[in-house]
Amino acid sequence: MVFDESKDKLFFVKNLENVQEDERDTIIFSICYAKDKSGKMYMRFGPLGHSSGERRLNVAITRAKCNVKLVGSIFRLILTLTE
């Protein structure tokens, strides 16, 4: 990924709710969570886990003209569906 320094806006940072009308060649989508002090990982993923979360995800991902880069902070092995 190369940033074109001749463009007015090199990049921007926005949350899921505010990306509606912006499009860019590349969208860097960050999903970063951590365990609490006791080592427990809660399955609370903000607006994505609420009603209509799939629509918000769709809006965010379709803002990319060329590609989406996904950045995450958790391994799949620490996620459980039983807690």
Side-chain angles (χ1 to χ4, degrees):
M1 173 174 47
V2 177
F3 290 109
D4 183 352
E5 293 183 16
S6 67
K7 292 186 177 182
D8 291 337
K9 294 181 181 179
L10 296 178
F11 67 94
F12 61 84
V13 176
K14 291 193 173 186
N15 64 19
L16 191 59
E17 290 84 9
N18 295 325
V19 73
Q20 181 90 22
E21 296 178 14
D22 289 308
E23 287 187 338
R24 292 293 185 268
D25 291 340
T26 298
I27 297 292
I28 302 171
F29 197 78
S30 171
I31 305 172
C32 299
Y33 298 94
K35 294 179 180 180
D36 68 6
K37 289 181 183 180
S38 68
K40 181 152 176 73
M41 178 69 139
Y42 291 95
M43 303 296 286
R44 299 181 193 143
F45 299 108
L48 293 179
H50 296 154
S51 178
S52 301
E54 70 280 358
R55 283 189 260 161
R56 290 177 181 208
L57 179 61
N58 182 54
V59 167
I61 290 177
T62 57
R63 300 303 93 195
K65 295 178 188 174
C66 300
N67 61 64
V68 175
K69 303 292 184 186
L70 179 62
V71 177
S73 65
I74 54 178
F75 293 103
R76 65 178 175 82
L77 297 176
I78 65 171
L79 297 175
T80 63
L81 301 178
T82 58
E83 298 178 27

